[in-house]
PDB file of all heavy atoms in Angstrom:
ATOM      1  N   ARG A1354      73.823  81.422 -16.117  1.00  0.00           N
ATOM      2  CA  ARG A1354      72.899  80.499 -16.780  1.00  0.00           C
ATOM      3  C   ARG A1354      72.347  81.084 -18.079  1.00  0.00           C
ATOM      4  O   ARG A1354      72.354  82.296 -18.287  1.00  0.00           O
ATOM      5  CB  ARG A1354      71.717  80.149 -15.859  1.00  0.00           C
ATOM      6  CG  ARG A1354      70.793  81.332 -15.502  1.00  0.00           C
ATOM      7  CD  ARG A1354      69.544  81.416 -16.371  1.00  0.00           C
ATOM      8  NE  ARG A1354      68.750  82.611 -16.130  1.00  0.00           N
ATOM      9  CZ  ARG A1354      68.915  83.749 -16.772  1.00  0.00           C
ATOM     10  NH1 ARG A1354      69.857  83.888 -17.675  1.00  0.00           N
ATOM     11  NH2 ARG A1354      68.149  84.790 -16.524  1.00  0.00           N
ATOM     12  N   ASN A1356      68.520  80.363 -20.043  1.00  0.00           N
ATOM     13  CA  ASN A1356      67.277  79.608 -19.910  1.00  0.00           C
ATOM     14  C   ASN A1356      66.878  79.143 -21.312  1.00  0.00           C
ATOM     15  O   ASN A1356      66.739  79.954 -22.221  1.00  0.00           O
ATOM     16  CB  ASN A1356      66.184  80.515 -19.321  1.00  0.00           C
ATOM     17  CG  ASN A1356      64.914  79.750 -19.014  1.00  0.00           C
ATOM     18  OD1 ASN A1356      64.925  78.513 -18.953  1.00  0.00           O
ATOM     19  ND2 ASN A1356      63.815  80.472 -18.816  1.00  0.00           N
ATOM     20  N   GLY A1359      60.799  78.564 -21.011  1.00  0.00           N
ATOM     21  CA  GLY A1359      60.052  78.777 -19.769  1.00  0.00           C
ATOM     22  C   GLY A1359      60.429  80.141 -19.209  1.00  0.00           C
ATOM     23  O   GLY A1359      61.084  80.259 -18.173  1.00  0.00           O
ATOM     24  N   GLU A1360      60.010  81.192 -19.933  1.00  0.00           N
ATOM     25  CA  GLU A1360      60.394  82.547 -19.530  1.00  0.00           C
ATOM     26  C   GLU A1360      59.222  83.252 -18.857  1.00  0.00           C
ATOM     27  O   GLU A1360      58.083  83.173 -19.334  1.00  0.00           O
ATOM     28  CB  GLU A1360      60.840  83.323 -20.769  1.00  0.00           C
ATOM     29  CG  GLU A1360      61.987  84.242 -20.525  1.00  0.00           C
ATOM     30  CD  GLU A1360      63.265  83.497 -20.130  1.00  0.00           C
ATOM     31  OE1 GLU A1360      63.984  83.033 -21.016  1.00  0.00           O
ATOM     32  OE2 GLU A1360      63.520  83.393 -18.908  1.00  0.00           O
ATOM     33  N   HIS A1361      59.513  83.904 -17.744  1.00  0.00           N
ATOM     34  CA  HIS A1361      58.499  84.604 -16.942  1.00  0.00           C
ATOM     35  C   HIS A1361      57.434  83.621 -16.440  1.00  0.00           C
ATOM     36  O   HIS A1361      56.275  83.973 -16.282  1.00  0.00           O
ATOM     37  CB  HIS A1361      57.878  85.767 -17.729  1.00  0.00           C
ATOM     38  CG  HIS A1361      58.853  86.902 -17.899  1.00  0.00           C
ATOM     39  ND1 HIS A1361      59.080  87.828 -16.922  1.00  0.00           N
ATOM     40  CD2 HIS A1361      59.678  87.216 -18.912  1.00  0.00           C
ATOM     41  CE1 HIS A1361      60.015  88.696 -17.341  1.00  0.00           C
ATOM     42  NE2 HIS A1361      60.391  88.335 -18.540  1.00  0.00           N
ATOM     43  N   THR A1362      57.854  82.394 -16.242  1.00  0.00           N
ATOM     44  CA  THR A1362      56.946  81.393 -15.667  1.00  0.00           C
ATOM     45  C   THR A1362      57.313  81.096 -14.217  1.00  0.00           C
ATOM     46  O   THR A1362      56.478  80.602 -13.468  1.00  0.00           O
ATOM     47  CB  THR A1362      57.016  80.079 -16.472  1.00  0.00           C
ATOM     48  OG1 THR A1362      58.403  79.777 -16.688  1.00  0.00           O
ATOM     49  CG2 THR A1362      56.314  80.211 -17.814  1.00  0.00           C
ATOM     50  N   ASP A1363      58.558  81.392 -13.813  1.00  0.00           N
ATOM     51  CA  ASP A1363      58.972  80.937 -12.460  1.00  0.00           C
ATOM     52  C   ASP A1363      58.136  81.582 -11.355  1.00  0.00           C
ATOM     53  O   ASP A1363      57.687  80.902 -10.427  1.00  0.00           O
ATOM     54  CB  ASP A1363      60.484  81.085 -12.217  1.00  0.00           C
ATOM     55  CG  ASP A1363      61.058  82.485 -12.277  1.00  0.00           C
ATOM     56  OD1 ASP A1363      60.334  83.426 -12.698  1.00  0.00           O
ATOM     57  OD2 ASP A1363      62.245  82.654 -11.909  1.00  0.00           O
ATOM     58  N   TYR A1364      57.870  82.898 -11.468  1.00  0.00           N
ATOM     59  CA  TYR A1364      57.075  83.548 -10.410  1.00  0.00           C
ATOM     60  C   TYR A1364      55.575  83.313 -10.588  1.00  0.00           C
ATOM     61  O   TYR A1364      54.768  83.846  -9.849  1.00  0.00           O
ATOM     62  CB  TYR A1364      57.406  85.047 -10.325  1.00  0.00           C
ATOM     63  CG  TYR A1364      57.289  85.796 -11.638  1.00  0.00           C
ATOM     64  CD1 TYR A1364      56.062  86.250 -12.114  1.00  0.00           C
ATOM     65  CD2 TYR A1364      58.414  86.045 -12.407  1.00  0.00           C
ATOM     66  CE1 TYR A1364      55.967  86.934 -13.315  1.00  0.00           C
ATOM     67  CE2 TYR A1364      58.340  86.728 -13.610  1.00  0.00           C
ATOM     68  CZ  TYR A1364      57.100  87.175 -14.055  1.00  0.00           C
ATOM     69  OH  TYR A1364      57.005  87.840 -15.241  1.00  0.00           O
ATOM     70  N   SER A1452      72.719  86.200 -15.565  1.00  0.00           N
ATOM     71  CA  SER A1452      72.604  85.933 -14.127  1.00  0.00           C
ATOM     72  C   SER A1452      73.917  85.979 -13.357  1.00  0.00           C
ATOM     73  O   SER A1452      74.176  85.122 -12.514  1.00  0.00           O
ATOM     74  CB  SER A1452      71.913  84.587 -13.884  1.00  0.00           C
ATOM     75  OG  SER A1452      70.595  84.665 -14.303  1.00  0.00           O
ATOM     76  N   CYS A1494      62.858  89.122  -8.227  1.00  0.00           N
ATOM     77  CA  CYS A1494      63.014  88.014  -9.186  1.00  0.00           C
ATOM     78  C   CYS A1494      62.384  86.734  -8.664  1.00  0.00           C
ATOM     79  O   CYS A1494      62.076  86.602  -7.479  1.00  0.00           O
ATOM     80  CB  CYS A1494      64.502  87.768  -9.429  1.00  0.00           C
ATOM     81  SG  CYS A1494      65.376  87.233  -7.951  1.00  0.00           S
ATOM     82  N   GLY A1495      62.187  85.770  -9.570  1.00  0.00           N
ATOM     83  CA  GLY A1495      61.733  84.440  -9.191  1.00  0.00           C
ATOM     84  C   GLY A1495      62.919  83.586  -8.739  1.00  0.00           C
ATOM     85  O   GLY A1495      63.997  84.126  -8.452  1.00  0.00           O
ATOM     86  N   ILE A1496      62.730  82.256  -8.738  1.00  0.00           N
ATOM     87  CA  ILE A1496      63.759  81.394  -8.138  1.00  0.00           C
ATOM     88  C   ILE A1496      64.674  80.725  -9.168  1.00  0.00           C
ATOM     89  O   ILE A1496      65.683  80.114  -8.811  1.00  0.00           O
ATOM     90  CB  ILE A1496      63.093  80.326  -7.232  1.00  0.00           C
ATOM     91  CG1 ILE A1496      64.121  79.760  -6.249  1.00  0.00           C
ATOM     92  CG2 ILE A1496      62.445  79.204  -8.076  1.00  0.00           C
ATOM     93  CD1 ILE A1496      63.527  79.176  -5.019  1.00  0.00           C
ATOM     94  N   MET A1497      64.342  80.880 -10.455  1.00  0.00           N
ATOM     95  CA  MET A1497      65.059  80.110 -11.478  1.00  0.00           C
ATOM     96  C   MET A1497      66.575  80.303 -11.459  1.00  0.00           C
ATOM     97  O   MET A1497      67.325  79.323 -11.488  1.00  0.00           O
ATOM     98  CB  MET A1497      64.528  80.498 -12.861  1.00  0.00           C
ATOM     99  CG  MET A1497      65.368  79.965 -13.996  1.00  0.00           C
ATOM    100  SD  MET A1497      64.643  80.202 -15.598  1.00  0.00           S
ATOM    101  CE  MET A1497      64.821  81.964 -15.842  1.00  0.00           C
ATOM    102  N   ASP A1498      67.026  81.549 -11.441  1.00  0.00           N
ATOM    103  CA  ASP A1498      68.457  81.802 -11.653  1.00  0.00           C
ATOM    104  C   ASP A1498      69.308  81.239 -10.514  1.00  0.00           C
ATOM    105  O   ASP A1498      70.352  80.629 -10.737  1.00  0.00           O
ATOM    106  CB  ASP A1498      68.717  83.315 -11.788  1.00  0.00           C
ATOM    107  CG  ASP A1498      67.875  83.937 -12.886  1.00  0.00           C
ATOM    108  OD1 ASP A1498      67.397  83.199 -13.765  1.00  0.00           O
ATOM    109  OD2 ASP A1498      67.676  85.169 -12.855  1.00  0.00           O
ATOM    110  N   TYR A1550      59.404  94.518 -15.076  1.00  0.00           N
ATOM    111  CA  TYR A1550      59.363  93.168 -14.519  1.00  0.00           C
ATOM    112  C   TYR A1550      58.311  93.100 -13.409  1.00  0.00           C
ATOM    113  O   TYR A1550      57.456  92.222 -13.389  1.00  0.00           O
ATOM    114  CB  TYR A1550      60.751  92.806 -13.974  1.00  0.00           C
ATOM    115  CG  TYR A1550      60.909  91.378 -13.508  1.00  0.00           C
ATOM    116  CD1 TYR A1550      61.379  90.394 -14.365  1.00  0.00           C
ATOM    117  CD2 TYR A1550      60.604  91.013 -12.194  1.00  0.00           C
ATOM    118  CE1 TYR A1550      61.547  89.083 -13.939  1.00  0.00           C
ATOM    119  CE2 TYR A1550      60.759  89.708 -11.757  1.00  0.00           C
ATOM    120  CZ  TYR A1550      61.242  88.745 -12.630  1.00  0.00           C
ATOM    121  OH  TYR A1550      61.391  87.447 -12.199  1.00  0.00           O
ATOM    122  N   GLY A1663      66.031  85.022 -20.512  1.00  0.00           N
ATOM    123  CA  GLY A1663      66.086  85.892 -19.330  1.00  0.00           C
ATOM    124  C   GLY A1663      64.919  86.872 -19.306  1.00  0.00           C
ATOM    125  O   GLY A1663      63.917  86.692 -19.998  1.00  0.00           O
ATOM    126  N   ALA A1664      65.095  87.928 -18.533  1.00  0.00           N
ATOM    127  CA  ALA A1664      63.972  88.839 -18.280  1.00  0.00           C
ATOM    128  C   ALA A1664      63.543  89.637 -19.516  1.00  0.00           C
ATOM    129  O   ALA A1664      62.385  90.002 -19.661  1.00  0.00           O
ATOM    130  CB  ALA A1664      64.343  89.804 -17.157  1.00  0.00           C
TER     131      ALA A1664
HETATM  132  C1  GLA B2145      64.972  87.037 -14.510  1.00  0.00           C
HETATM  133  C2  GLA B2145      64.562  86.597 -13.116  1.00  0.00           C
HETATM  134  C3  GLA B2145      64.068  85.160 -13.134  1.00  0.00           C
HETATM  135  C4  GLA B2145      62.993  84.950 -14.208  1.00  0.00           C
HETATM  136  C5  GLA B2145      63.448  85.518 -15.551  1.00  0.00           C
HETATM  137  C6  GLA B2145      62.347  85.498 -16.585  1.00  0.00           C
HETATM  138  O1  GLA B2145      66.093  86.296 -14.950  1.00  0.00           O
HETATM  139  O2  GLA B2145      65.657  86.709 -12.233  1.00  0.00           O
HETATM  140  O3  GLA B2145      63.582  84.807 -11.862  1.00  0.00           O
HETATM  141  O4  GLA B2145      61.770  85.504 -13.794  1.00  0.00           O
HETATM  142  O5  GLA B2145      63.896  86.865 -15.425  1.00  0.00           O
HETATM  143  O6  GLA B2145      62.020  84.194 -16.924  1.00  0.00           O
END
Side-chain angles (χ1 to χ4, degrees):
R1354 65 97 186 90
N1356 186 16
E1360 218 64 84
H1361 289 279
T1362 46
D1363 62 350
Y1364 53 82
S1452 293
C1494 64
I1496 200 156
M1497 169 172 72
D1498 305 340
Y1550 187 93

